């Protein structure tokens, strides 16, 4: 019945992937979304919330909630933004930095697991197709 339904099939895949990612990051006490935001800040200390929202495709209000949650856990903090005093910048704390290797290892393990499960070529094609489709749909 739903063989040709993009909405249904994409949501089924999304729920399955979410379960796998949630289990993987649960041991670090983070949701996948929080983990990816923290990885972004670790990779670019001083990044603005606006840039985080753009990079992760999230609404600014969602990023604010995620930043608040990570700050409450002591993993990142807001600080001055040298480029624009109207907007704060995000920096990892020492506790956040201490998670960097585990976050990277978890991300790499998930990448390898999915690439192995789907096959390297199929995995690479799927990721490319999803990125292209997102860009096309967003550009409508």
């Amino acid at each position: 019945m739903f063989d040709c339904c993009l909405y249904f099939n994409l949501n089924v895949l999304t729920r399955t992937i979410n379960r796998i990612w949630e289990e993987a990051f649960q041991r670090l006490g983070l949701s996948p979304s929080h983990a990816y935001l923290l990885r972004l800040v670790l990779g670019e200390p001083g990044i603005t919330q606006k840039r985080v929202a753009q990079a992760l495709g999230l609404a600014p209000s969602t990023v604010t909630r995620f930043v608040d949650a990570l700050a409450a856990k002591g993993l990142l903090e807001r600080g001055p933004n040298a480029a624009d005093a109207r907007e704060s910048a995000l920096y990892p704390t020492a506790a956040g930095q201490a998670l960097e290797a585990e976050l990277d290892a978890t991300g790499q393990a998930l990448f390898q697991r999915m690439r192995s499960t789907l096959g390297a070529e199929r995995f690479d094609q799927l990721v490319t197709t999803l990125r292209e489709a997102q860009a096309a749909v967003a550009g409508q």
Side-chain angles (χ1 to χ4, degrees):
M1 172 184 237
F2 300 117
D3 290 350
C4 296
C5 181
L6 177 64
Y7 176 83
F8 175 80
N9 288 293
L10 190 55
N11 274 299
V12 169
L13 176 61
T14 299
R15 285 191 299 273
T16 302
I17 294 295
N18 277 337
R19 277 193 298 275
I20 293 167
W21 259 245
E22 286 167 1
E23 289 172 9
F25 287 106
Q26 181 180 2
R27 65 183 182 77
L28 300 176
L30 297 171
S31 71
S33 297
H34 290 165
Y36 277 86
L37 192 153
L38 182 55
R39 288 181 79 189
L40 195 57
V41 173
L42 285 162
E44 194 177 330
I47 191 171
T48 64
Q49 285 187 206
K50 181 178 181 179
R51 176 69 188 109
V52 169
Q54 292 168 342
L56 297 179
L58 297 171
S61 60
T62 301
V63 171
T64 297
R65 285 195 319 274
F66 289 178
V67 168
D68 290 346
L70 290 168
K73 288 180 181 234
L75 300 175
L76 62 78
E77 59 192 6
R78 291 175 175 92
N81 178 356
D84 186 349
R86 296 172 294 171
E87 187 175 18
S88 61
L90 303 174
Y91 298 91
T93 62
Q97 290 172 343
L99 288 177
E100 187 169 18
E102 287 185 85
L103 287 167
D104 289 345
T106 301
Q108 187 62 31
L110 288 165
F111 169 79
Q112 292 299 334
R113 178 179 174 183
M114 290 298 109
R115 208 155 193 258
S116 174
T117 298
L118 296 172
E121 185 176 334
R122 190 177 198 192
F123 175 87
D124 293 344
Q125 283 180 325
L126 177 60
V127 171
T128 299
T129 300
L130 288 170
R131 293 179 64 85
E132 290 170 352
Q134 198 289 324
V137 170
Q140 283 188 2

